[in-house]
């Protein structure tokens, strides 16, 4: 669906709420005047020639969850750092409950009740949870020591139902648990009235995200204002009351969520209409390119039970399911990094069961892995080296046993440009790139050779709209040149938007299959929940 350009930026009628569509907080009709909790007025911040924030006005009301949206580089983090006292603006001022305030340091921000959870956490991995809490807290005159901290941490984890022990080392925590420690560390401080979260959901599983959202709603009910930076538009509609879109350092619009749409927000973010759906396949699917029959695993977190399906040329097949229902194990079997205990995997009719990653690469199977840091990249190697990892031979970069580095660099630069890898140059270790750019490096490597079979695990995780869109286009391109795509994703909107059909996994099995467009979400929900026995219209069991 394409949004006509004319519908962008049209002023929305004011809701009968205390918050105006333009971002100002108006008096409630018939009620007492409502002053915003915090108001940024004309905030400008430059870094050399770069204008990160350009005359930004933004008002946040008490007890609202305010989504802050924008492409990478739009100026969101810089703006939030101004509020947190970490960045001094060049111009503009801040009002707190209507009164001018000076936030010159993090201590000033904390004193007002502003807490910020950063995109990259600042926990010390080698210390325990409680020691990290200690570090965060300005020491009281009479230091109470670790015993007191342990009690507080235990109380907090219990209150929020978090399964983390105070004496656990941070490096042993999952991404989700680590995130919680971060959040609890902020909530542990003086009373928080404004909580800022910079892309907290980018690396969380769905259930971890649900937990975070539940806590945010709970905080909102207590009158806390939340500014939430997110990329997934679905999340905006799930949790936020209002949304502000930034582009190139400026606020382009603030909208009550009830009065906008994903299409409108996406268009505001990128400055033009965005296709949120791919057109379906134009031709009937062709021959089978990937066949999985009776696949089983043992010893995994979630073992596969008799998983069978096919992917044909000319189709994108999705795999939906709640995280932890066997998708990871399936992806690992297909990527050659887990050996099934039974069953068979065929690519173009040839048996590849239990084969190695290099062999799959040789067969032209593009794999976008689940864990990009562990399986996707060699973090210490240069960006251009990662773009060719395992492919120097197939890309004819080896001459008389030696890699022709000049040629390799040139080709890497072409691929990096095509896949919009943003890096100063390609000589830096790939580990220095942002998560989104690391993902693009993997895509450049895996999709750069026009593979005709693509197995992708959550390929758009952590990407902004333009990059996400680009991935969708690449998958569609694979389909239209007669390839087949298997797309595993936790994002149901994504699956229903671009897949021709979707398999639903539950408990390590394929619980059912639905057609992509117009599929019944309730039905998918039931299948995800293990209701194997449902029989309805477009379900094949
Ligand atoms: N410390 C810094 N030094 C130089 N440039 C910066 C710095 N911080 C941010 N920028 C630049 O400012 C712009 C806005 O960045 P940022 O606020 O991080 O955007 P967002 O969070 O929306 O992705 C970008 O062009 C970024 O490269
Ligand atoms: Mg940012």
């Amino acid at each position: 669906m394409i949004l006509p350009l004319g519908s962008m930026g049209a002023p929305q009628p004011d809701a009968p709420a205390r918050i105006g569509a333009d971002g100002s907080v108006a008096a409630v009709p018939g009620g007492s005047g409502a002053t915003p909790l915090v108001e940024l007025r004309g905030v400008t911040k430059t870094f050399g020639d770069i204008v990160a924030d350009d005359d930004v006005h933004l008002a946040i009301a008490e007890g609202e969850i305010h989504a802050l949206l924008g492409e990478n580089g739009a100026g969101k983090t810089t703006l939030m750092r101004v509020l947190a006292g970490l960045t001094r603006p060049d111009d503009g001022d801040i009002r707190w409950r209507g009164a001018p305030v000076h936030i010159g340091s993090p201590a000033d921000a904390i004193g007002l009740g502003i807490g910020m959870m950063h995109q990259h956490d600042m926990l010390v991995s080698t210390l325990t949870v409680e020691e990290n809490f200690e570090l965060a807290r300005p020491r009281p005159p009479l230091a109470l020591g670790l015993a007191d901290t342990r009690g507080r941490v235990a109380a907090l984890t219990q209150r929020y139902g978090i399964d983390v022990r105070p004496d656990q080392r941070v490096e042993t925590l999952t991404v989700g648990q680590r995130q919680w420690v971060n959040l609890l560390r902020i909530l542990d401080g003086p009373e928080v009235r404004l909580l800022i979260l910079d892309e907290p959901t980018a690396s969380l599983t769905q259930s971890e995200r649900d937990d975070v959202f539940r806590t945010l709603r709970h905080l909102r009910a207590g009158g806390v204002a939340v500014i939430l930076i997110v990329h997934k538009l679905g999340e905006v509609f799930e949790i936020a009351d209002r949304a502000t879109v930034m582009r190139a350092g400026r606020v382009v619009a603030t909208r009550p969520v009830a009065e906008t749409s994903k299409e409108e927000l996406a268009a505001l973010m990128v400055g033009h209409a965005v296709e949120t759906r791919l057109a379906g396949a134009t031709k009937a699917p062709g021959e089978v390119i990937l066949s999985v029959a009776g696949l089983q695993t043992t010893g995994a977190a979630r073992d596969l039970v008799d998983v069978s399906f096919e992917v044909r040329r000319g189709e994108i097949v999705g795999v939906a399911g709640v995280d932890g229902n066997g998708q990871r194990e399936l992806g690992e079997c297909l990527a050659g990094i887990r050996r099934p205990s039974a069953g068979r995997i065929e690519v173009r009719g040839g048996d590849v069961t239990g084969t190695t990653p290099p062999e799959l690469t040789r067969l032209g199977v593009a794999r976008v892995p689940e864990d990009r840091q562990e399986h996707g990249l060699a973090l210490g190697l240069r960006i251009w080296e990662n773009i060719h990892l395992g492919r120097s031979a197939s890309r004819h970069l080896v001459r008389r046993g030696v890699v022709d580095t000049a040629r390799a660099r040139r080709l890497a630069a072409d691929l990096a440009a095509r896949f919009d890898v943003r890096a100063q140059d390609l000589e830096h270790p790939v580990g220095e790139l942002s998560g989104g750019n690391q993902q693009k490096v993997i895509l450049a490597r895996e999709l750069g050779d026009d593979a005709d079979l693509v197995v992708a695990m959550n390929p758009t995780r952590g990407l902004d709209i333009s990059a996400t869109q680009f991935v969708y286009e690449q998958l569609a391109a694979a389909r239209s040149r007669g390839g087949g795509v298997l797309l595993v994703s936790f994002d149901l909107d994504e699956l229903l938007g671009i897949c021709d059909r979707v398999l639903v996994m539950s408990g390590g099995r394929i619980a059912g299959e639905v057609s992509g467009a117009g599929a019944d979400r309730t039905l998918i929900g039931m299948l995800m929940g293990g209701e194997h026995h449902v029989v309805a219209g477009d379900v094949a069991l």
Side-chain angles (χ1 to χ4, degrees):
M1 170 174 164
I2 300 184
L3 186 81
L5 280 167
S7 66
M8 276 174 50
Q12 297 280 327
D14 206 348
R18 52 207 161 115
I19 310 156
D22 62 351
S24 65
V25 180
V28 179
S32 60
T35 307
L37 174 66
V38 67
E39 199 177 356
L40 293 160
R41 295 154 53 115
V43 169
T44 296
K45 174 68 189 177
T46 54
F47 296 103
D49 294 339
I50 298 170
V51 187
D53 289 308
D54 187 3
D55 189 25
V56 172
H57 292 258
L58 179 67
I60 306 295
E62 265 176 82
E64 74 161 322
I65 297 181
H66 197 113
L68 185 58
L69 302 168
E71 299 267 278
N72 294 333
K76 307 177 296 292
T77 297
T78 305
L79 193 67
M80 294 301 104
R81 286 174 57 89
V82 167
L83 272 177
L86 293 162
T87 294
R88 196 77 56 91
D90 305 333
D91 203 359
D93 54 63
I94 301 172
R95 292 184 179 220
W96 184 261
R97 295 193 160 122
V101 286
H102 173 73
I103 306 180
S105 68
D108 289 347
I110 292 167
L112 288 170
I114 299 174
M116 177 163 176
M117 189 160 108
H118 299 274
Q119 195 173 356
H120 303 288
D121 73 47
M122 298 177 176
L123 300 177
V124 182
S125 298
T126 51
L127 296 182
T128 63
V129 172
E130 61 198 356
E131 286 164 346
N132 271 282
F133 269 69
E134 278 283 287
L135 287 181
R137 216 173 151 81
R139 223 160 246 291
L142 276 173
L144 293 168
L146 222 52
D148 169 60
T149 307
R150 176 165 301 184
R152 283 200 332 271
V153 175
L156 277 166
T157 50
Q158 201 168 13
R159 180 160 154 211
Y160 291 99
I162 313 307
D163 186 21
V164 171
R165 291 191 325 273
D167 61 349
Q168 215 169 329
R169 260 177 203 272
V170 166
E171 62 197 358
T172 66
L173 302 177
T174 65
V175 178
Q177 289 173 321
R178 210 174 150 127
Q179 194 82 276
W180 270 111
V181 171
N182 246 318
L183 183 52
L184 295 185
R185 215 163 61 134
I186 295 166
L187 299 176
D188 177 50
E191 195 190 16
V192 173
R193 301 308 304 165
L194 173 65
L195 179 63
I196 300 165
L197 300 116
D198 196 350
E199 298 192 35
T201 57
S203 50
L204 295 186
T205 65
Q206 187 163 339
S207 64
E208 288 168 339
R209 201 205 56 189
D210 291 347
D211 289 343
V212 171
F213 281 5
R214 200 168 311 123
T215 302
L216 296 186
R217 290 193 189 97
H218 171 80
L219 291 168
R220 170 175 65 187
V224 175
V226 178
I227 301 178
L228 183 66
I229 300 181
V230 284
H231 281 310
K232 295 264 185 239
L233 292 172
E235 296 185 351
V236 175
F237 289 86
E238 204 180 318
I239 183 125
D241 303 301
R242 290 195 302 159
T244 288
V245 177
M246 292 185 72
R247 188 168 72 236
R250 305 196 69 117
V251 165
V252 277
T254 295
R255 298 268 187 272
V257 167
E259 294 171 17
T260 184
S261 63
K262 285 186 190 175
E263 287 76 15
E264 185 190 30
L265 293 179
L268 288 167
M269 260 192 266
V270 301
H272 55 79
V274 174
E275 285 182 59
T276 55
R277 280 181 177 278
L278 285 180
T282 48
K283 293 176 281 197
E287 69 190 43
V288 173
I289 184 163
L290 172 68
S291 159
V292 173
L295 207 64
Q296 316 252 14
T297 60
T298 50
R302 170 71 74 176
D303 282 323
L304 299 178
V305 186
D306 193 21
V307 168
S308 303
F309 63 89
E310 288 176 341
V311 175
R312 293 174 173 274
R313 290 185 176 277
E315 65 172 355
I316 301 177
V317 177
V319 177
V322 176
D323 186 25
N325 276 277
Q327 301 97 315
R328 175 166 307 134
E329 290 73 12
L330 174 61
E332 287 171 354
C333 288
L334 294 175
I337 52 180
R338 177 180 290 282
R339 242 192 137 73
S341 54
R344 193 175 164 90
I345 303 171
E346 289 178 4
V347 170
R348 293 183 213 92
D351 187 3
V352 299
T353 320
T355 195
T356 59
E359 179 59 12
L360 289 168
T361 301
R362 210 188 55 74
L363 289 168
V365 182
R367 284 108 54 208
V368 181
E370 158 102 287
D371 184 335
R372 57 176 83 118
Q373 305 240 331
E374 192 177 338
H375 294 296
L377 296 166
L379 293 177
L381 293 186
R382 297 187 173 99
I383 298 168
W384 69 266
E385 292 169 321
N386 270 280
I387 289 179
H388 297 312
L389 212 61
R391 281 170 177 72
S392 352
S394 62
R395 286 179 183 162
H396 309 293
L397 299 172
V398 184
R399 294 270 158 81
R400 286 187 284 275
V402 182
V403 173
D404 178 347
T405 52
R407 239 171 78 77
R409 285 189 165 95
R410 270 201 310 278
L411 179 58
D414 288 348
L415 287 170
R418 257 180 72 197
F419 286 80
D420 190 34
V421 175
R422 297 204 193 152
Q424 258 158 14
D425 63 61
L426 303 182
E427 300 300 324
H428 287 271
V430 78
E432 288 177 10
L433 292 179
S434 70
N437 275 301
Q438 289 185 4
Q439 181 74 340
K440 292 179 195 171
V441 168
I442 293 178
L443 295 168
R445 183 182 67 220
E446 298 295 326
L447 303 179
D449 297 329
D450 298 344
D452 65 358
L453 176 57
V454 179
V455 177
M457 307 282 294
N458 290 308
T460 63
R461 202 182 235 195
L463 297 186
D464 65 24
I465 290 209
S466 300
T468 297
Q469 197 66 24
F470 182 75
V471 172
Y472 294 164
E473 284 162 14
Q474 293 303 311
L475 299 181
R479 173 176 63 189
S480 53
R481 63 177 174 255
V485 177
L486 186 74
L487 171 66
V488 180
S489 175
F490 300 137
D491 185 340
L492 199 51
D493 290 335
E494 170 170 291
L495 291 171
L496 297 181
I498 73 171
C499 295
D500 301 299
R501 53 196 179 91
V502 178
L503 309 168
V504 184
M505 286 194 83
S506 168
R509 302 168 186 272
I510 306 283
E513 179 188 323
V514 299
S515 60
D520 179 346
R521 281 164 188 266
T522 315
L523 194 59
I524 297 175
M526 287 171 76
L527 289 168
M528 281 186 183
E531 303 286 326
H532 300 252
H533 54 275
V534 274
V535 180
D538 57 350
V539 187
L541 292 172

